[in-house]
Amino acid sequence: MNSRIRAVPLFVAAVLTSCARQPGVRVVAADEGPGLIEGTVIYGDGRPAKSATVSAFPTDRGMAAKVPSADTDELGHFQIKHLWLGKFAVTAKKENEGYPDTSSGFYGDSKIAPITLSPSHPSATDTILLGPKAGILVGTVADAVTGASLDPCVDFHRASDTNNFFSGTGIVNAKYHVLVPSDRDVIMKIWREGYLPWYYPGANHKSEAEPLRLKSGEERTLHIRLQPGNDASEAGYNTSLCFPHCRP
Protein backbone atom coordinates (compact mmCIF):
# COMPACT_ATOMS: atom_id res chain seq x y z
CA MET A 1 0.00 0.00 0.00
CA ASN A 2 1.11 3.55 -0.64
CA SER A 3 1.07 6.08 2.20
CA ARG A 4 1.42 9.82 1.77
CA ILE A 5 0.53 13.07 3.53
CA ARG A 6 -1.17 15.81 1.61
CA ALA A 7 -2.40 19.23 2.72
CA VAL A 8 -6.09 19.54 1.90
CA PRO A 9 -7.56 23.05 2.30
CA LEU A 10 -12.29 22.76 2.35
CA PHE A 11 -17.44 23.36 0.56
CA VAL A 12 -20.66 23.77 2.06
CA ALA A 13 -23.39 23.75 -0.46
CA ALA A 14 -26.49 22.01 -1.46
CA VAL A 15 -25.67 22.95 -5.04
CA LEU A 16 -22.04 23.18 -6.17
CA THR A 17 -21.34 24.23 -9.73
CA SER A 18 -17.88 23.93 -11.23
CA CYS A 19 -17.13 25.63 -14.50
CA ALA A 20 -14.34 23.19 -15.30
CA ARG A 21 -15.45 20.16 -17.29
CA GLN A 22 -13.42 17.42 -18.88
CA PRO A 23 -14.47 16.85 -22.50
CA GLY A 24 -14.67 13.27 -23.60
CA VAL A 25 -14.77 11.78 -20.11
CA ARG A 26 -17.04 8.74 -19.96
CA VAL A 27 -19.90 9.04 -17.46
CA VAL A 28 -20.87 5.83 -15.72
CA ALA A 29 -22.87 4.80 -12.69
CA ALA A 30 -21.01 3.63 -9.61
CA ASP A 31 -20.57 -0.11 -9.41
CA GLU A 32 -19.18 -2.25 -6.65
CA GLY A 33 -15.62 -3.41 -7.11
CA PRO A 34 -12.63 -4.79 -5.25
CA GLY A 35 -11.04 -1.42 -4.49
CA LEU A 36 -10.43 0.01 -1.01
CA ILE A 37 -9.02 3.34 0.12
CA GLU A 38 -8.48 3.80 3.83
CA GLY A 39 -6.42 5.99 6.09
CA THR A 40 -6.49 8.80 8.63
CA VAL A 41 -7.48 12.46 8.64
CA ILE A 42 -5.48 14.68 11.00
CA TYR A 43 -5.32 18.32 12.08
CA GLY A 44 -2.19 20.41 11.65
CA ASP A 45 -1.01 19.49 15.14
CA GLY A 46 -1.32 15.77 14.42
CA ARG A 47 -4.56 15.14 16.33
CA PRO A 48 -7.04 12.80 14.62
CA ALA A 49 -10.03 14.55 13.03
CA LYS A 50 -13.22 12.86 14.19
CA SER A 51 -16.36 13.10 12.01
CA ALA A 52 -14.56 14.49 8.98
CA THR A 53 -16.00 13.45 5.62
CA VAL A 54 -13.66 11.85 3.10
CA SER A 55 -14.63 11.56 -0.58
CA ALA A 56 -13.03 9.65 -3.45
CA PHE A 57 -13.63 11.57 -6.69
CA PRO A 58 -12.93 9.55 -9.87
CA THR A 59 -10.51 11.41 -12.12
CA ASP A 60 -10.65 9.06 -15.10
CA ARG A 61 -14.44 8.88 -15.52
CA GLY A 62 -17.54 10.92 -14.86
CA MET A 63 -20.04 10.01 -12.16
CA ALA A 64 -23.74 9.30 -12.64
CA ALA A 65 -24.18 8.48 -8.97
CA LYS A 66 -23.16 9.71 -5.54
CA VAL A 67 -19.42 10.14 -5.04
CA PRO A 68 -18.09 7.41 -2.73
CA SER A 69 -17.43 8.80 0.74
CA ALA A 70 -17.08 7.90 4.41
CA ASP A 71 -16.87 9.67 7.77
CA THR A 72 -13.93 9.27 10.11
CA ASP A 73 -14.23 7.59 13.51
CA GLU A 74 -12.89 8.82 16.87
CA LEU A 75 -9.35 7.96 15.79
CA GLY A 76 -9.71 9.84 12.50
CA HIS A 77 -9.75 6.58 10.54
CA PHE A 78 -11.84 6.05 7.40
CA GLN A 79 -12.54 3.30 4.90
CA ILE A 80 -14.11 3.71 1.46
CA LYS A 81 -14.93 0.22 0.21
CA HIS A 82 -16.21 -1.44 -2.96
CA LEU A 83 -14.46 0.98 -5.32
CA TRP A 84 -13.86 0.14 -8.96
CA LEU A 85 -10.28 0.10 -10.22
CA GLY A 86 -9.05 3.44 -11.52
CA LYS A 87 -7.82 6.84 -10.38
CA PHE A 88 -9.28 8.83 -7.47
CA ALA A 89 -8.66 12.24 -5.92
CA VAL A 90 -9.24 11.76 -2.20
CA THR A 91 -10.23 14.85 -0.23
CA ALA A 92 -11.46 15.57 3.28
CA LYS A 93 -13.67 18.25 4.78
CA LYS A 94 -15.07 19.22 8.17
CA GLU A 95 -17.24 22.19 7.35
CA ASN A 96 -18.71 22.74 10.82
CA GLU A 97 -15.18 23.62 11.95
CA GLY A 98 -14.36 25.69 8.87
CA TYR A 99 -12.39 23.15 6.83
CA PRO A 100 -13.64 23.05 3.21
CA ASP A 101 -13.33 20.43 0.53
CA THR A 102 -10.69 21.37 -2.03
CA SER A 103 -12.13 19.14 -4.71
CA SER A 104 -13.39 22.50 -6.00
CA GLY A 105 -10.68 24.86 -7.27
CA PHE A 106 -12.66 27.65 -5.64
CA TYR A 107 -10.99 26.90 -2.30
CA GLY A 108 -7.46 25.98 -3.28
CA ASP A 109 -4.95 25.99 -6.10
CA SER A 110 -2.98 22.87 -5.25
CA LYS A 111 -3.29 19.83 -7.47
CA ILE A 112 -4.41 16.68 -5.70
CA ALA A 113 -2.22 13.73 -6.65
CA PRO A 114 -4.55 10.87 -7.59
CA ILE A 115 -4.56 7.45 -5.96
CA THR A 116 -4.51 4.63 -8.50
CA LEU A 117 -6.20 1.30 -7.77
CA SER A 118 -5.16 -1.51 -10.09
CA PRO A 119 -5.51 -5.30 -10.25
CA SER A 120 -2.08 -5.67 -8.62
CA HIS A 121 -2.74 -2.91 -6.06
CA PRO A 122 -6.51 -2.79 -5.38
CA SER A 123 -6.09 -0.97 -2.05
CA ALA A 124 -4.25 2.12 -0.80
CA THR A 125 -3.67 4.01 2.43
CA ASP A 126 -3.77 7.81 2.64
CA THR A 127 -3.11 10.28 5.45
CA ILE A 128 -4.91 13.58 4.86
CA LEU A 129 -4.00 16.81 6.62
CA LEU A 130 -6.90 19.23 7.09
CA GLY A 131 -6.18 22.88 6.47
CA PRO A 132 -6.12 25.73 6.11
CA LYS A 133 -9.46 26.91 7.43
CA ALA A 134 -11.72 28.94 5.20
CA GLY A 135 -13.38 32.21 6.09
CA ILE A 136 -16.88 31.83 7.54
CA LEU A 137 -19.93 33.94 6.69
CA VAL A 138 -23.06 33.70 8.81
CA GLY A 139 -26.25 35.71 8.81
CA THR A 140 -29.73 36.03 7.35
CA VAL A 141 -31.37 37.04 4.05
CA ALA A 142 -34.72 38.87 4.08
CA ASP A 143 -37.01 41.31 2.28
CA ALA A 144 -35.85 44.85 3.14
CA VAL A 145 -39.43 46.12 3.39
CA THR A 146 -41.40 43.32 5.03
CA GLY A 147 -38.64 41.46 6.80
CA ALA A 148 -39.85 38.17 5.30
CA SER A 149 -37.17 35.50 5.05
CA LEU A 150 -35.84 34.76 1.54
CA ASP A 151 -33.94 31.83 0.03
CA PRO A 152 -31.89 33.47 -2.74
CA CYS A 153 -29.46 32.55 -5.47
CA VAL A 154 -25.79 33.32 -4.91
CA ASP A 155 -22.63 33.75 -6.91
CA PHE A 156 -19.20 33.80 -5.28
CA HIS A 157 -16.10 34.08 -7.42
CA ARG A 158 -12.49 35.03 -6.92
CA ALA A 159 -11.83 38.64 -7.87
CA SER A 160 -8.64 37.60 -9.69
CA ASP A 161 -10.01 34.47 -11.36
CA THR A 162 -13.62 34.35 -12.54
CA ASN A 163 -13.19 30.72 -13.60
CA ASN A 164 -13.09 29.66 -9.96
CA PHE A 165 -16.55 30.16 -8.49
CA PHE A 166 -19.55 28.48 -7.00
CA SER A 167 -23.03 29.53 -7.90
CA GLY A 168 -26.55 28.29 -7.44
CA THR A 169 -29.40 27.98 -5.01
CA GLY A 170 -29.27 26.25 -1.64
CA ILE A 171 -25.78 27.56 -0.88
CA VAL A 172 -27.16 30.52 1.06
CA ASN A 173 -30.58 30.14 2.66
CA ALA A 174 -32.61 32.57 4.73
CA LYS A 175 -30.38 31.67 7.67
CA TYR A 176 -26.98 30.72 6.34
CA HIS A 177 -23.50 29.51 7.24
CA VAL A 178 -21.16 29.43 4.26
CA LEU A 179 -17.42 29.02 3.74
CA VAL A 180 -15.36 31.24 1.43
CA PRO A 181 -11.67 31.00 0.49
CA SER A 182 -9.45 32.59 3.13
CA ASP A 183 -6.95 35.35 2.40
CA ARG A 184 -8.38 35.95 -1.06
CA ASP A 185 -10.53 38.69 -2.58
CA VAL A 186 -13.98 37.27 -3.33
CA ILE A 187 -16.85 38.99 -5.17
CA MET A 188 -20.21 38.16 -3.62
CA LYS A 189 -23.61 38.55 -5.28
CA ILE A 190 -27.07 37.65 -3.96
CA TRP A 191 -30.26 37.84 -6.01
CA ARG A 192 -33.83 36.60 -6.34
CA GLU A 193 -36.70 37.14 -8.76
CA GLY A 194 -38.55 40.36 -7.97
CA TYR A 195 -35.62 41.93 -6.10
CA LEU A 196 -32.63 44.09 -6.95
CA PRO A 197 -29.35 42.21 -6.77
CA TRP A 198 -27.18 42.66 -3.69
CA TYR A 199 -23.40 42.97 -4.00
CA TYR A 200 -21.04 42.99 -1.05
CA PRO A 201 -20.91 45.20 1.02
CA GLY A 202 -24.51 46.24 0.24
CA ALA A 203 -24.62 47.77 -3.25
CA ASN A 204 -27.31 47.18 -5.89
CA HIS A 205 -24.98 47.66 -8.86
CA LYS A 206 -21.99 45.59 -9.89
CA SER A 207 -19.89 48.71 -10.45
CA GLU A 208 -20.15 49.45 -6.72
CA ALA A 209 -19.22 45.97 -5.55
CA GLU A 210 -16.20 45.57 -3.28
CA PRO A 211 -14.19 42.42 -2.65
CA LEU A 212 -14.80 40.41 0.51
CA ARG A 213 -11.64 39.18 2.22
CA LEU A 214 -11.55 37.00 5.33
CA LYS A 215 -8.61 35.54 7.20
CA SER A 216 -8.31 31.82 7.84
CA GLY A 217 -10.91 30.92 10.48
CA GLU A 218 -12.32 34.46 10.61
CA GLU A 219 -16.11 34.60 11.06
CA ARG A 220 -18.17 37.55 9.87
CA THR A 221 -21.90 38.19 10.24
CA LEU A 222 -23.82 39.65 7.29
CA HIS A 223 -27.55 40.31 7.51
CA ILE A 224 -28.53 40.80 3.86
CA ARG A 225 -31.67 42.75 2.98
CA LEU A 226 -32.94 42.62 -0.60
CA GLN A 227 -34.81 45.61 -2.03
CA PRO A 228 -37.92 44.79 -4.12
CA GLY A 229 -37.56 45.71 -7.79
CA ASN A 230 -36.08 44.67 -11.11
CA ASP A 231 -33.14 46.05 -13.06
CA ALA A 232 -32.50 44.36 -16.42
CA SER A 233 -29.02 45.89 -16.64
CA GLU A 234 -28.14 44.13 -13.38
CA ALA A 235 -29.78 40.80 -14.22
CA GLY A 236 -28.04 37.89 -12.57
CA TYR A 237 -25.23 36.18 -14.40
CA ASN A 238 -25.16 32.39 -14.24
CA THR A 239 -28.91 32.47 -13.66
CA SER A 240 -29.29 29.32 -15.75
CA LEU A 241 -27.64 27.49 -12.86
CA CYS A 242 -30.45 28.41 -10.48
CA PHE A 243 -34.03 27.43 -9.93
CA PRO A 244 -36.79 29.60 -11.46
CA HIS A 245 -37.38 31.72 -8.35
CA CYS A 246 -33.83 33.10 -8.67
CA ARG A 247 -34.16 34.37 -12.21
CA PRO A 248 -34.81 38.07 -12.82
Side-chain angles (χ1 to χ4, degrees):
M1 295 198 222
N2 298 321
S3 179
R4 56 203 169 82
I5 296 180
R6 180 179 62 253
V8 177
L10 151 357
F11 177 44
V12 70
V15 176
L16 169 62
T17 302
S18 172
C19 58
R21 296 193 180 275
Q22 301 178 11
V25 172
R26 185 167 55 97
V27 178
V28 299
D31 53 347
E32 290 195 359
L36 167 68
I37 297 175
E38 62 181 332
T40 306
V41 179
I42 61 175
Y43 293 104
D45 59 5
R47 291 180 298 115
K50 175 186 176 182
S51 299
T53 298
V54 183
S55 298
F57 294 86
T59 62
D60 56 357
R61 66 173 73 185
M63 282 291 296
K66 184 178 179 180
V67 172
S69 63
D71 292 339
T72 57
D73 61 19
E74 292 185 356
L75 299 178
H77 183 258
F78 69 91
Q79 283 191 332
I80 304 178
K81 303 178 181 179
H82 307 302
L83 296 171
W84 56 91
L85 302 180
K87 294 183 178 181
F88 298 87
V90 182
T91 65
K93 64 181 180 180
K94 195 171 183 183
E95 294 169 339
N96 62 327
E97 292 186 3
Y99 294 99
D101 189 339
T102 50
S103 60
S104 165
F106 180 63
Y107 288 103
D109 297 318
S110 59
K111 298 281 186 180
I112 300 173
I115 290 176
T116 300
L117 302 181
S118 65
S120 58
H121 295 90
S123 63
T125 299
D126 201 15
T127 300
I128 303 174
L129 178 64
L130 285 176
K133 284 188 174 182
I136 304 169
L137 283 176
V138 297
T140 58
V141 183
D143 185 301
V145 177
T146 66
S149 297
L150 297 173
D151 292 330
C153 261
V154 304
D155 188 293
F156 292 86
H157 69 265
R158 295 187 190 181
S160 60
D161 185 359
T162 57
N163 288 323
N164 281 311
F165 67 88
F166 66 86
S167 179
T169 187
I171 299 172
V172 169
N173 295 315
K175 185 177 182 180
Y176 68 89
H177 176 284
V178 67
L179 304 179
V180 297
S182 57
D183 301 312
R184 296 182 184 277
D185 289 340
V186 176
I187 301 299
M188 176 181 179
K189 178 182 180 179
I190 304 288
W191 77 95
R192 184 184 167 98
E193 182 179 9
Y195 292 88
L196 297 175
W198 183 99
Y199 295 92
Y200 181 83
N204 295 130
H205 299 281
K206 186 177 180 180
S207 60
E208 299 172 358
E210 296 179 10
L212 168 72
R213 191 178 185 93
L214 299 179
K215 297 178 181 178
S216 177
E218 178 184 354
E219 182 173 311
R220 185 174 301 180
T221 300
L222 284 177
H223 295 299
I224 299 168
R225 299 297 176 257
L226 299 182
Q227 296 286 345
N230 286 290
D231 185 343
S233 67
E234 290 290 326
Y237 45 86
N238 295 328
T239 52
S240 63
L241 305 175
C242 301
F243 291 120
H245 76 257
C246 303
R247 296 172 186 156

